[in-house]
Amino acid sequence: MLEKEIRKALSGYPEILYGFADLSCSPWKESYPSALVLASPYGGQLAPDDYTEERFEQGIQSAKCRLETVEAEIEQILQKHQVKYWFPPAAQENETELRALFSFKSAAARAGIGWFGKNDVIITERYGPRVRLSAVLINGIFAYGEPVTEGRCPEDCTKCIDICPCKALKNQQWSIEKDRSEIIDYQKCNQMRSAFIQKLSRKHVCGLCMAVCPFGRPESRNGS
C-alpha cells in the first residue's frame, strides 16, 4: 500500500526520474533497508554553445525547488503510514574527504536510474548527467530497480575529459568495483571551484562536463 501510494504521487511529476534502491549492503541497512531516489532535470538542459556558470546555477536551484516540493509530498505519505525515514543531507561532510554522509549517486545506480560517467556524475538515458539527485531512506521493503554496475559511456568519447578546465578527469570507464579516485582527481576539481568563493560567495558550480555530454540530448533520443 505504501509503495503504491508513493508511486501514484510521483506519477504527478512525469519529468522526475525515480527508483527504489536496495540498501542491504550499505551501512544504513539496519535502520533503512531501502532508499527512494529522485532525479530532477536542470532547467534548460544546457549545451556547450549556450552554457554559462550563472545559467547552470539557476538550473540547479530550479531543480532543487522542484525536488523540495516532491519531497514534502512524499514525507506526508511516510508520516501518514508512520514509517521511519530520513532525508540525508546533500552537502559534503568536510573539505578533506569531500564525501557526503550518504551517496545519492551510488543509490541512483543501485536504483537503476543511471550510471557513473567518465566525469563521475550520474548519467541518465533521458537527461544525460543534467539532473539533481535527492533521496529518502525508508524503513521498508519495495520493488527495487535493476542496479547498474558498469559504465555505458562510449569508449572513444572524451568530450567531458577534454572540456574539463582543471584536467581532473582520468578518462576511465566506471564500474561498481572502482573507487572514484580512479575516475577523477576530486581535490584538483575542488581547488578550482573553491577559488571562486570570495567572488561568488559560494563555490563555482562548473558544469561543463555535464553540458558537453551527448547523452540526453533531443537528437540522441531521436536516434540522429
Side-chain angles (χ1 to χ4, degrees):
M1 180 63 72
L2 173 60
E3 180 175 342
K4 183 178 180 180
E5 195 166 340
I6 290 174
R7 290 185 183 275
K8 182 179 179 181
L10 289 171
S11 69
Y13 302 92
E15 75 281 6
I16 290 183
L17 308 177
Y18 76 92
F20 292 95
D22 180 0
L23 301 186
S24 60
C25 295
S26 83
W28 309 100
K29 62 182 179 181
E30 296 301 328
S31 298
Y32 307 103
S34 305
L36 169 63
V37 187
L38 308 169
S40 177
Y42 294 139
Q45 291 297 283
L46 299 176
D49 57 355
D50 63 1
Y51 174 88
T52 66
E53 197 268 355
E54 183 180 14
R55 288 192 64 213
F56 186 53
E57 170 67 11
Q58 290 171 352
I60 290 175
Q61 295 305 317
S62 174
K64 181 181 178 181
C65 289
R66 190 181 300 115
L67 284 172
E68 288 173 349
T69 298
V70 178
E71 289 170 351
E73 190 167 342
I74 297 300
E75 185 168 27
Q76 288 182 345
I77 295 171
L78 295 171
Q79 289 176 345
K80 184 180 78 171
H81 286 266
Q82 298 183 331
V83 176
K84 183 180 178 182
Y85 65 92
W86 176 50
F87 285 94
Q92 296 166 338
E93 286 192 277
N94 57 63
E95 287 291 299
T96 303
E97 295 297 323
L98 299 172
R99 293 182 186 271
L101 194 59
F102 178 81
S103 174
F104 292 175
K105 293 189 296 184
S106 294
R110 291 179 188 176
I113 290 175
W115 67 94
F116 286 65
K118 293 180 181 180
N119 56 1
D120 196 47
V121 175
I122 282 293
I123 297 180
T124 68
E125 292 286 355
R126 183 173 175 184
Y127 300 118
R130 295 165 289 276
V131 295
R132 182 178 177 88
L133 298 176
S134 178
V136 54
L137 279 57
I138 307 172
N139 184 13
I141 304 297
F142 301 88
Y144 302 120
E146 182 67 29
V148 182
T149 60
E150 299 284 342
R152 298 175 184 174
C153 300
E155 291 293 344
D156 61 349
C157 182
T158 61
K159 291 181 181 296
C160 60
I161 288 90
D162 296 338
I163 205 170
C164 178
C166 59
K167 304 304 177 188
L169 302 177
K170 302 180 180 182
N171 195 17
Q172 290 295 309
Q173 191 78 276
W174 169 79
S175 71
I176 195 69
E177 296 85 10
K178 282 187 177 178
D179 184 77
R180 69 174 183 174
S181 62
E182 299 178 64
I183 299 172
I184 183 173
D185 185 335
Y186 249 96
Q187 295 294 343
K188 185 181 288 186
C189 176
N190 186 60
Q191 286 172 7
M192 186 209 75
R193 295 177 60 228
S194 297
F196 288 81
I197 291 177
Q198 186 172 356
K199 178 180 179 181
L200 301 175
S201 298
R202 57 171 170 79
K203 290 183 181 181
H204 191 282
V205 295
C206 189
L208 287 170
C209 65
M210 302 182 203
V212 77
C213 181
F215 279 98
R217 295 280 177 220
E219 60 270 23
S220 298
R221 293 197 293 269
N222 293 333
S224 58

